[in-house]
Amino acid sequence: GIGGAAVMTAVSRAQIRTEAAGLGVFGAASVLAAMPGLLPAVRFLLSGGEPAEVRERAIFVQVYWRLRHHMDPVAIRFEQWCYAGVLLAVCLVLGVWLLSGWRLRVLSGCGVLRESLQRLLWVLTVSLAAAAGGVVVGWHELPVEHMGGWQWRGSLLRFYPFRFFDGLLPCVTAMMLVMTTVSFLRGGQRGVDVFGGGSQSFVGGAGRWLKGAACLAVLFSWPWGLALCSRPASPAGYTTAGWRDWQAACLWLHQNTERESLVLTPRESFAFKWFSERAEYVSYKDCPQDPAGIVEWDRRLWAVHQWSAASLRDGRYDDADLARLRELTECDYVLIRGQEPFAAVPVWTGEYWKIYRVNRLN
């Protein structure tokens, strides 16, 4: 994004030749610094040893099902479009206002220049272009399997074209609001070019402090209050007591099972491997990235679902059902909510969760 902004700046000034060397040095340094992430990414892209049907199934599962809310533009909700539109409009309005040269008043010792703001907006423009490209590539009205070229479209969407813009937009908006607040605090007369120097006037006395206190109160209390009100005390799907009980179940497994034990956990499993240091047969949150891993992850989810549906035909999970689960998954334990209809006696019982040992039938 920064490289694209530098290129745009050079093109807009018709200085692409004079700045080519600097851009080349910057690009080489960026690639070198990014090597720890680039090398595994390149190896992943060049691997391609799986059959075509495996790669296509992996693309479908990852892009159009598991991570659809991140990658498929059709899955972006209307309120999210509105939120991004409002923030983008705020950035554009404030950017034009600040770059006009009659409002920005910089605190003594700070070096905020017109060029810095322009380059920041260019970086935002690059991220917006990437997001727009993702919309063009991925937009569809028909079901995915009926969309022409969904395979190559999904391959491109796997690069998260919306993530850059999604993360940068609120950051730039916050910076612009701070610059505008500085301008408001410093006051000044219209027509003064604050980027190139010139006279600066201050709002003196108690009025300036009152204005500053009001601005700081709004800037800090509004987002801080929203964060405090919206921050959950426990992960999604857990009550506070249920979350404590989940950690207790994980601790029991950590202290009372072999390190190589394999555990079947529920779909809402959260940080299980962190607390228990034991392996999960399949975790809905931990979707692999390689095609073979994605397909196997999807197969395991369906295998557990089909086992559960077949086992519950008689209304409960009996010993034969657990033995079938063992043959199917090689799991040693099942960690499940306490209200599930298991006939076996749990090896650990909490307020919300229970742990069952899975044995083979002789």
Side-chain angles (χ1 to χ4, degrees):
I2 296 174
V7 171
M8 287 182 167
T9 302
V11 171
S12 65
R13 297 174 178 176
Q15 296 177 345
I16 191 66
R17 288 187 176 181
T18 58
E19 296 193 14
L23 291 174
V25 172
F26 173 81
S30 300
V31 170
L32 184 63
M35 279 296 180
L38 284 178
L39 288 178
V42 171
R43 282 200 303 266
F44 169 73
L45 292 174
L46 296 180
S47 57
E50 301 85 359
E53 58 270 18
V54 172
R55 293 196 301 272
E56 291 181 5
R57 177 65 183 171
I59 291 172
F60 183 88
V61 169
Q62 184 184 41
V63 176
Y64 297 108
W65 179 60
R66 176 63 186 90
L67 299 176
R68 184 170 181 260
H69 54 292
H70 289 306
M71 301 182 184
D72 189 352
V74 176
I76 301 176
R77 300 192 304 272
F78 176 74
E79 56 268 28
Q80 292 174 313
W81 289 103
C82 294
Y83 174 75
V86 169
L87 291 187
L88 186 59
V90 170
C91 282
L92 292 176
V93 171
L94 295 183
V96 171
W97 189 58
L98 291 170
L99 288 173
S100 64
W102 21 285
R103 284 293 181 186
L104 186 62
R105 293 295 181 269
V106 182
L107 294 173
S108 299
C110 295
V112 179
L113 304 175
R114 179 192 297 270
E115 183 177 353
S116 300
L117 183 57
Q118 288 175 332
R119 287 179 180 260
L120 179 64
L121 292 176
W122 276 126
V123 175
L124 182 63
T125 302
V126 173
S127 70
L128 177 60
V135 173
V136 172
V137 168
W139 191 265
H140 60 94
E141 296 181 357
L142 297 173
V144 173
E145 56 271 24
H146 298 150
M147 179 176 60
W150 67 264
Q151 295 90 342
W152 68 265
R153 295 173 187 269
S155 296
L156 293 177
L157 291 175
R158 292 180 72 183
F159 287 92
Y160 287 87
F162 312 110
R163 182 58 59 84
F164 186 20
F165 180 71
D166 187 44
L168 188 62
L169 179 59
C171 296
V172 174
T173 305
M175 294 177 190
M176 304 286 275
L177 287 172
V178 170
M179 292 179 185
T180 304
T181 304
V182 172
S183 169
F184 179 64
L185 289 173
R186 300 300 296 265
Q189 299 178 353
R190 298 175 64 159
V192 178
D193 185 3
V194 298
F195 292 98
S199 62
Q200 296 182 353
S201 61
F202 292 81
V203 180
R208 187 183 67 165
W209 288 105
L210 182 61
K211 187 187 294 186
C215 290
L216 290 175
V218 172
L219 284 176
F220 283 96
S221 64
W222 176 61
W224 187 259
L226 286 177
L228 288 178
C229 292
S230 61
R231 181 182 180 182
S234 55
Y238 292 79
T239 63
T240 302
W243 173 234
R244 288 197 300 266
D245 201 46
W246 171 264
Q247 295 177 73
C250 294
L251 180 61
W252 185 91
L253 287 167
H254 175 71
Q255 295 176 342
N256 296 276
T257 64
E258 303 287 338
R259 285 193 62 86
E260 60 272 14
S261 297
L262 185 62
V263 184
L264 178 63
T265 55
R267 176 167 172 156
E268 63 268 35
S269 171
F270 189 90
F272 173 81
K273 287 186 283 290
W274 176 267
F275 290 115
S276 69
E277 298 185 20
R278 298 297 181 266
E280 294 174 273
Y281 174 70
V282 62
S283 173
Y284 181 76
K285 289 292 289 182
D286 295 341
C287 181
Q289 297 296 306
D290 62 292
I294 294 172
V295 172
E296 173 62 16
W297 172 86
D298 182 56
R299 186 199 67 79
R300 292 190 180 198
L301 285 176
W302 279 108
V304 173
H305 170 75
Q306 291 167 356
W307 168 83
S308 178
S311 300
L312 282 178
R313 288 173 183 169
D314 59 358
R316 66 173 188 166
Y317 301 106
D318 55 25
D319 291 340
D321 295 325
L322 288 180
R324 263 192 322 112
L325 177 66
R326 173 79 180 196
E327 295 298 324
L328 180 67
T329 65
E330 294 295 325
C331 286
D332 301 293
Y333 296 90
V334 175
L335 172 55
I336 199 72
R337 287 191 182 273
Q339 67 268 28
E340 296 295 331
F342 277 80
V345 177
V347 294
W348 181 88
T349 301
E351 184 180 358
Y352 292 87
W353 303 94
K354 292 182 180 180
I355 300 174
Y356 294 89
R357 174 74 184 182
V358 182
N359 298 312
R360 296 181 188 272
L361 284 181
N362 295 328

